[in-house]
Amino acid sequence: MSNTKFLWGAALSANQCEGSYDVNGRGLSIIDKLPTGENRFKVMSNPVKYINEEFPHYPSRHGIEFYKHYKEDIKLLAEMGINSLRISMSWTRIFPTGKEDKPNEEGLKFYDDLINELLKYNIEPIVTMSHFDTPFYIAENFNGWADKGTIDSFYKYAETILHHFNGRIKYWIPFNEINMILHLPYVGGGIIDTKGDLKEKIKYQSAHNQLVANAMVCKLAHEINKENLMGCMLAAGNYYPQTCKPEDNLLAINKNRETYLFIDVQARGYYPSYAKKKIESLNLDITEEEIELLKNTVDFISFSYYNSKVCSSDNVDGAELTAGNIFKSIKNPYLKASEWGWQIDPVGLRVTMNDLYDRYQKPLLIAENGLGAKDELVDGRIHDEYRIEYLKHHLENMKLAIEDGVDLIGYMPWSALDLISASTGQISKRYGFIYVDLDDNGEGTYKRYIKDSYFWYRDYIKNNK
């Protein structure tokens, strides 16, 4: 932890915080079509039926208006002591439909101003190119990443920002939580229609298309500037077998492989043997040229960690389930849970870090880790000792993983400020160090208030430089 280059930061995403969805030429993103509350998952999971239904509130369209408040927000974050910030760029702010020949200059100007503001405070930007924000035009007209033409559209966008920000941005992540495309294809890849019997084929073809795009962008980034560091990003958290029954253990191995498939390709440069049979059975459109391109691998592995999961080989009908980062799981009786039912497993972070590093031997970056909770604003203060407790235990296990020999380059807790929850569309499910005065209906002053966890994290960074 004494390494002066360690990235102490926090994380945000454009689709959850920026707002100003129709300002200065920005186009509609897939997330702009998702409502809040109980309708959100209905639309995410069955977009072919519900995506054009009208709903009263689309929370990501206004987010927390980071687009308008970024200067004051970055100043507050700089005063918290971070030396890095994970952000994402909105693809549709730069290419409104994803199919334009030339970028939207107003979009590039906003990110010029944002990056320059970060650099003014010596905050290293860590940029995700696509954080669940495929252009809706591509989703609606080409079924998102199911179409191979989306590879070229994304490459043009990536090429534009890699050249435009060359020398100002060192850390790049092409796709957020790339494994999400198998679980929520609309969110992960703008896929509206999975066409019934072809569902598995479409999901895996889309995943392959993203992996090819990722490899192409890695190759390009290294050609543009040898200082560029390219990362991949997965929604992590190991599956534990429910019992020591051999079948439970085998199932846990296979469940974890489903998560690691993407990173195996991005970090090693080829499809692992366990995946080849699946790919062949689906008769995917994969060319020899694409297989060759996959050899362009990433430099570091980034991941989100919120919870571990439990699986059983037995029929689990009637078993008590717990919520999680999209992935439901059998309840672990040894763990407590958040107000939203996500089980809290700090030791699981250490397990995940060791597992990832043993598997890939590449530097790790914790790109997301945090607690969603209901915070109460009292006399301008938020006493979120529960969040401090959560972070403290996870950081303890992070340190232990480093002592185990894991090479970790940074920690980006989720999130820098309160923002729109990806899973529920609520802002009342708060993650930030900074409170934003806004409710689930989009009403509020947008005023920022510092939480107790802000001061705690500031002191923690100061004492662990």
Side-chain angles (χ1 to χ4, degrees), residues 174-175 178-179 181-182 204-216 218-219 222 230-234 256-279 284 286-301 356 359-360 362:
F175 295 100
I178 192 168
N179 51 319
I181 200 164
L182 295 183
Y204 277 89
Q205 182 67 60
S206 303
H208 170 75
N209 294 344
Q210 286 191 344
L211 288 169
V212 171
N214 188 90
M216 289 170 65
C218 284
K219 181 175 185 290
H222 292 140
M230 303 302 295
C232 53
M233 205 293 212
L234 79 154
N256 286 324
R257 277 176 166 177
E258 189 178 88
T259 297
Y260 290 142
L261 164 61
F262 299 88
I263 314 306
D264 281 353
V265 177
Q266 292 172 303
R268 294 171 171 168
Y270 55 87
Y271 279 106
S273 56
Y274 67 82
K276 287 180 180 176
K277 188 174 180 182
K278 175 84 170 178
I279 289 167
L284 301 185
I286 298 177
T287 68
E288 288 300 320
E289 181 187 10
E290 289 168 349
I291 292 297
E292 190 64 25
L293 277 168
L294 293 179
K295 293 178 181 177
N296 294 283
T297 56
V298 297
D299 303 300
F300 65 93
I301 314 291
L356 287 169
R359 195 174 183 100
Y360 304 117
K362 287 185 184 255

Side-chain angles (χ1 to χ4, degrees), residues 17 40 92 96 120 122 179 189 219 277 311 314 357 396 415 436 455:
C17 76
R40 191 174 181 87
T92 60
K120 182 175 90 174
N122 296 313
N179 51 319
K219 181 175 185 290
K277 188 174 180 182
C311 63
D314 292 328
Y357 194 64
E396 284 170 0
S415 54
V436 179
F455 297 108

Side-chain angles (χ1 to χ4, degrees), residues 97-112:
T97 69
K99 293 293 183 179
E100 289 82 5
D101 291 329
K102 294 183 179 179
N104 172 29
E105 293 299 330
E106 286 290 337
L108 286 174
K109 182 183 183 303
F110 169 70
Y111 291 114
D112 273 329

Side-chain angles (χ1 to χ4, degrees), residues 457-465:
Y457 190 48
R458 181 194 64 185
D459 293 342
Y460 191 94
I461 292 172
K462 193 184 298 181
N463 294 329
N464 285 276
K465 282 184 176 178

Side-chain angles (χ1 to χ4, degrees), residues 177-206:
E177 293 185 335
I178 192 168
N179 51 319
M180 200 62 76
I181 200 164
L182 295 183
H183 305 279
L184 279 178
Y186 177 75
V187 173
I191 300 158
I192 291 177
D193 192 356
T194 50
K195 297 181 172 64
D197 293 343
L198 294 175
K199 185 173 185 177
E200 284 293 284
K201 180 171 183 172
I202 288 171
K203 287 196 298 184
Y204 277 89
Q205 182 67 60
S206 303

